[in-house]
Amino acid sequence: MQNKYPQKPGIDFIMKQAFFYWNKTLLFQVMFSIIYFSLFFTIFFYFSERYGIVAQSQEAAEQLKISTDAYLTAVAKMSASEGFQKFSWAILGTSVFLYPLNLGFFQIFRKIDLGEKIEIADLFVGYNGTNFFRYVGYYLFWIIIYSYTFQTIILGVVWVFVTLFVAPLMFFMDKRLFEAISLNFKALKIYFIEILVCVLVAFLFKYLGFLLFFVGGLFTFPFWNAMIYSLYKTVFSEKS
């Protein structure tokens, strides 16, 4: 299987393509968001109640009225507690488990390109067979690195960019993690401006629905996948 980089497309073409995929799959966008947020917040509230995270957070907020130092001390104490550690692991595990839902959109978008019928089962293709463990393994690795690099902000952003195409490369071309990252680097060197602009647009649009009209977030939250697919499809050429 070979990879090559075609003549540079226009940013407007990439974005129009992304919005086309998103608009064609609005029902699946909502289904994704409902499933994602229902499971995530069910786990979140269950474990936050079980380990008293809400009460501890309220106590820490009360300390803010005294002083910033008192607040930071209370937060540090809460973060070091066994209950908070278990709560954090539960949220991490939930996020990792839900990640393969994103792969379903790659299947759906590819079917649109091929003119094939889209089915609800396509949204769950990331959970099929042993590939499920491959995808959750990758995302676990990704989010652990991100949790550390995000503290510097800049390194967190860099990590997002150098792994932007890893998932579609694994999904469509069966690439291994470090091979996919290497191809990602090559793409960034050639298409940096296009990727930068499209990622910023995707990020803003993803959360725009929550800011302007909360329910609208159910439609815009998964938009990120449409932009990644549009970029991937434009940048990479799959050949056997």
Side-chain angles (χ1 to χ4, degrees), residues 105-220:
F105 278 112
F106 295 152
Q107 171 90 343
I108 290 169
F109 299 148
R110 178 54 57 88
K111 277 194 167 185
I112 290 175
D113 288 341
L114 297 175
E116 298 178 1
K117 182 180 179 181
I118 302 172
E119 301 175 346
I120 294 177
D122 294 324
L123 189 60
F124 303 97
V125 71
Y127 294 91
N128 292 344
T130 57
N131 277 334
F132 165 74
F133 299 101
R134 187 183 180 203
Y135 298 138
V136 298
Y138 157 65
Y139 189 67
L140 179 61
F141 168 76
W142 186 92
I143 201 169
I144 288 174
I145 300 297
Y146 181 74
S147 65
Y148 286 103
T149 57
F150 179 75
Q151 298 175 34
T152 65
I153 299 179
I154 294 177
L155 289 179
V157 172
V158 170
W159 180 238
V160 170
F161 275 89
V162 300
T163 56
L164 191 67
F165 297 115
V166 169
L169 284 168
M170 291 174 64
F171 185 77
F172 291 118
M173 305 172 77
D174 199 29
K175 297 297 183 183
R176 295 183 180 276
L177 175 60
F178 293 106
E179 184 183 4
I181 290 177
S182 176
L183 291 171
N184 204 131
F185 268 116
K186 292 178 181 178
L188 283 172
K189 289 179 181 179
I190 301 174
Y191 293 91
F192 179 75
I193 297 301
E194 290 84 354
I195 292 172
L196 175 62
V197 173
C198 290
V199 165
L200 289 175
V201 170
F203 179 81
L204 292 173
F205 188 76
K206 177 177 181 177
Y207 296 104
L208 187 63
F210 292 109
L211 295 176
L212 299 181
F213 187 57
F214 189 79
V215 177
L218 297 177
F219 293 90
T220 61

